[in-house]
Amino acid sequence: MKDSAAGIASSMASMRELEIFSASDARFSSLGAPVKILASFVFILCVVSFGVYDLGVMLFFVFPAALWFVVKPPARIFFNRLLIVLPFVVFTGISNLIFDNSVVELPFGFQTRGGAVSFFTILCKAVLCVGAALFLVLTTPINAIAGGLRRFKLPCVLVLQTVLTLRYLEVMLDEARRMHCAYSLRAPNLSGIRISDWHKIVARLFLRSLDRAENIYSAMLCRGFCARKTMDFYKTKESFAEIAALLCFVFACVFLRAAGWIFKGAAW
Amino acid sequence: MVKIENLSVEYGGGNCALKDVSLEIKDGESVALLGANGAGKSTLLKTLAGLNKISSGFVEISGVRVERKNLRKIRSDIGFVFQNSDDQLFSLTVEEDVVFGLRNMGIDFQKSKEIAGETMERLNISHLANRSPSRLSEGEKKRAAIACILAMKPKILLFDEPTSQLDARSTRLLCELLKSLNGTKIIATHDLNVARSVCGKAAVLDNSRLVKFGDASEILSDEKLLFDCSLL
Ligand SMILES: Nc1ncnc2c1ncn2[C@@H]1O[C@H](COP(=O)(O)OP(=O)(O)OP(=O)(O)O)[C@@H](O)[C@H]1O
Ligand SMILES: [Mg+2]
């Protein structure tokens, strides 16, 4: 019982941790969100453009390696999140490993089973793409991401929804913590929540979170919250240096993508 | 001026929380809203802020009707401290929460931070500026919630049980602070001492109806009335 309460509390703590880190890292949070969003987008696009048997995707690990030394994100937060996604990826990749019996030629005349190569590239791509998204979140406060999305003319409703969902997620976790606490205090002999009580608890949790979310929204409205205006506070104009940095990054991505291609052609 | 005329408010399922309430509050007046649990105090305050649907009657604030199309205007004049501070505070840090409303008023970030700093200082919570609101004690949350509203310097202040979680000293300091504020104040409270020390007028609600509105000193010395309305 205590474990699940602790679990909820630690989820809340790590959500906050993520936001606090993103707000505090000076080097990258001073970089405009639109630039970072666009850079992540280009990066992901390049990574997914590699074929299933194309080991050139490994070249793109240069970026995370370089960034790691500059930003040094809290490794625990980063890997914890990566670990959430990895099982799904491994699960998808494993079917390739079993069913794909084709023979693939590797550079320098080596040969191996296609399944093994595709399993490996899927893993690489997943780590790179999820890593890029995580990196964006780790170095950009949520409000700034919202402003960045607005900069790309995404509809206000959509952006607001994203931001509020994150806020309400915390409200829901908080409600879950309170309810669990109340439940366990009145059922000290149980080691968890009775299965027969789950449906009641979940329904109640939903209603309570909804009520609280509504109250919070009222509080925001009472303090002059206006979706468009608030989202647009965080809209930034890119400086010349930022655009130059972005162009360099895009150029490096394209260069590596092309290098992968040439490398593959030459080796085959 | 706040003008309430034959106001009735019903929640879903025919649950009538206010019946036929009429009163007028002049600019700069402080009014204590008294009543037992469930009398309708919070409902009345929420209705003034346009958070409840009016079933019949109307409310006017500085000559503007409280209705959907005027809400933006009305809310820019009103500051509302909720009964439950958890509903009021939603930002990452206390300071961010105080700054939120100021930014919505169009004040630039630096100036907002300055005003937020001053307000937190007045409420003795400067040391909590970088703390997460959900991790504060109830009294600290209350003061943070009050700071969020006072920072915006609204013309009309609505307080729902502002002192309910505060210790004796914080209560006294808050009362002094409230007395020093110029705007119109409507304070829902169970604490008769707060009503006595801050408010010149009082309105007593009982069972969703307004039973008395007048001089605070007169109402607060009417023991029979207070007893009948479960306030003593
Ligand atoms: N969201 C709601 N839905 C339905 N009924 C409600 C709702 N909020 C309040 N009520 C009902 O309306 C009546 C007045 O409630 P209100 O919260 O205004 O009382 P109050 O005077 O503020 O009481 P307290 O001193 O306990 O805060 C109560 O009977 C309550 O049950
Ligand atoms: Mg109330």
Side-chain angles (χ1 to χ4, degrees), chain A residues 172-185:
Chain A
M172 206 159 106
L173 283 173
D174 194 30
E175 277 307 322
R177 186 181 53 79
R178 284 159 198 259
M179 282 178 67
H180 185 272
C181 198
Y183 185 96
S184 51
L185 280 175

Side-chain angles (χ1 to χ4, degrees), chain B residues 59-77:
Chain B
V59 179
E60 270 179 18
I61 290 179
S62 315
V64 181
R65 278 272 174 120
V66 176
E67 53 193 9
R68 208 187 169 88
K69 65 178 196 300
N70 299 330
L71 285 185
R72 190 155 294 170
K73 161 85 188 79
I74 282 170
R75 284 173 182 161
S76 65
D77 288 345

Side-chain angles (χ1 to χ4, degrees), chain B residues 36-43 45-46 83 160-161 188 190:
Chain B
N37 291 135
K41 305 180 292 296
S42 301
T43 304
L45 293 184
K46 283 183 191 165
Q83 183 162 10
D160 201 347
E161 313 275 359
H190 293 127

Side-chain angles (χ1 to χ4, degrees), chain A residues 9 12-13 15-16 19-20 23 143 167 170 174 177-178 211-212 215-227 229-230 233-234, chain B residues 46 49 51 72 75 78 80 82 86-93 96-98 100-101 103-106 132-135 141 148-149 152:
Chain A
M12 287 180 66
M15 269 180 71
R16 290 224 170 260
E19 266 203 69
I20 288 168
N143 286 333
R167 283 268 173 268
E170 202 187 311
D174 194 30
R177 186 181 53 79
R178 284 159 198 259
D211 269 354
R212 259 194 79 194
N215 286 338
I216 288 180
Y217 189 61
S218 300
M220 291 167 83
L221 288 178
C222 283
R223 277 190 267 160
F225 177 77
C226 158
K229 227 169 70 187
T230 307
F233 278 150
Y234 297 95
Chain B
K46 283 183 191 165
L51 295 173
R72 190 155 294 170
R75 284 173 182 161
I78 277 187
F80 185 6
F82 285 19
D86 282 320
D87 290 340
Q88 186 121 43
L89 304 164
F90 45 79
S91 299
L92 193 59
T93 64
E96 205 180 291
D97 231 317
V98 182
F100 176 84
R103 294 281 280 146
N104 285 336
M105 289 166 73
S132 157
S134 61
R135 304 271 170 87
K141 279 184 201 169
C148 289
I149 301 308
M152 297 169 73

Side-chain angles (χ1 to χ4, degrees), chain A residues 140-217:
Chain A
T140 324
I142 180 67
N143 286 333
I145 295 185
L149 294 175
R150 283 290 293 151
R151 184 91 179 81
F152 296 123
K153 302 258 182 290
L154 246 71
C156 194
V157 183
L158 206 74
V159 177
L160 180 68
Q161 199 62 34
T162 316
V163 176
L164 290 187
T165 304
L166 275 174
R167 283 268 173 268
Y168 290 162
L169 208 62
E170 202 187 311
V171 169
M172 206 159 106
L173 283 173
D174 194 30
E175 277 307 322
R177 186 181 53 79
R178 284 159 198 259
M179 282 178 67
H180 185 272
C181 198
Y183 185 96
S184 51
L185 280 175
R186 276 183 286 157
N189 309 326
L190 293 180
S191 63
I193 293 173
R194 247 190 250 111
I195 301 225
S196 56
D197 286 342
W198 268 103
H199 68 284
K200 275 186 273 177
I201 297 261
V202 170
R204 202 64 232 128
L205 176 65
F206 178 72
L207 289 177
R208 278 177 63 157
S209 317
L210 218 64
D211 269 354
R212 259 194 79 194
E214 197 175 300
N215 286 338
I216 288 180
Y217 189 61

Side-chain angles (χ1 to χ4, degrees), chain A residues 8-25 73-81 134 137-142 167 170 173, chain B residues 92-93 132 134-135:
Chain A
I8 297 170
S10 91
S11 313
M12 287 180 66
S14 69
M15 269 180 71
R16 290 224 170 260
E17 213 173 18
L18 204 74
E19 266 203 69
I20 288 168
F21 176 76
S22 61
S24 69
D25 186 89
R76 194 175 41 80
I77 301 183
F78 197 81
F79 284 114
N80 278 353
R81 273 161 188 73
L134 268 179
V137 180
L138 276 170
T139 58
T140 324
I142 180 67
R167 283 268 173 268
E170 202 187 311
L173 283 173
Chain B
L92 193 59
T93 64
S132 157
S134 61
R135 304 271 170 87

